[in-house]
Amino acid sequence: MKITARVVAATFLGAWLAGTIVVGWAATVNFMTIDRLLTSGTSSRSQEIFRETVGRLEPDEGRALLRFVASEVNRDLFLFWGWAAAALGCILLACAYFPLKEKKLIYGFGAMLLCSVVMSLYLTPEMMSLGRSLDFISREPPPPGLAHFGRLHAAYSILNLLQVMIGIWMGIVLARPPQPGSPRD
């Protein structure tokens, strides 16, 4: 099998899309695991010891501590993935520009890379900083920064969804090789 620039681009695009899905899933599961561990009726000996240990803390302190740990794991995950996605975007843009020279791919991968750069350079650091300032603060009444954090998170989610949608479109473009002799759009 001849490995073409389209196959290379499709492979890196697949890695980008898969990474985005896995990171979103892992971040969600990190928080869901806290509730599962604290409230699950079934348990192993280690889960029983865990619940006993957390139970020694003041009410809601254990959950707050565990949410902090999950938040820190997610912060590191999003920070790493943001830069990895930007690197993948640079590779894809280079593939689209140099060997393929297809405008649709250049624009699509460029838009995906722009989303990654905005998320990595602005949204992720802002959410990390603001999130840390909100850790261990009572939510009743809602602290002033909570609404701003929600807006940042929504912007991040929208850009992430936009990236995935563009990525799917780019996958379709890559799956249909251009006709011989046709312009590169």
Side-chain angles (χ1 to χ4, degrees), residues 17-30 74 77-82 156 160:
L17 293 172
T20 298
I21 291 166
V22 168
V23 166
W25 171 80
T28 303
V29 167
N30 283 341
N74 287 350
L77 187 63
F78 282 109
L79 189 63
F80 168 79
W81 177 246
Y156 186 97
N160 213 21

Side-chain angles (χ1 to χ4, degrees), residues 3-24:
I3 297 178
T4 65
R6 292 185 98 71
V7 170
V8 170
T11 302
F12 281 106
L13 177 60
W16 192 343
L17 293 172
T20 298
I21 291 166
V22 168
V23 166

Side-chain angles (χ1 to χ4, degrees), residues 34-76:
I34 294 166
D35 291 328
R36 182 179 53 79
L37 288 173
L38 291 174
T39 62
S40 174
T42 61
S43 63
S44 64
R45 177 70 182 134
S46 60
Q47 289 172 322
E48 289 172 15
I49 294 170
F50 168 79
R51 279 194 284 279
E52 286 173 19
T53 304
V54 172
R56 292 182 198 133
L57 300 171
E58 294 293 322
D60 294 330
E61 270 186 352
R63 184 177 301 282
L65 183 64
L66 293 169
R67 285 189 62 81
F68 170 74
V69 171
S71 294
E72 283 298 310
V73 169
N74 287 350
R75 289 172 188 137
D76 287 344

Side-chain angles (χ1 to χ4, degrees), residues 78-100:
F78 282 109
L79 189 63
F80 168 79
W81 177 246
W83 291 111
L88 288 168
C90 289
I91 292 167
L92 284 166
L93 192 55
C95 282
Y97 187 77
F98 293 110
L100 296 174

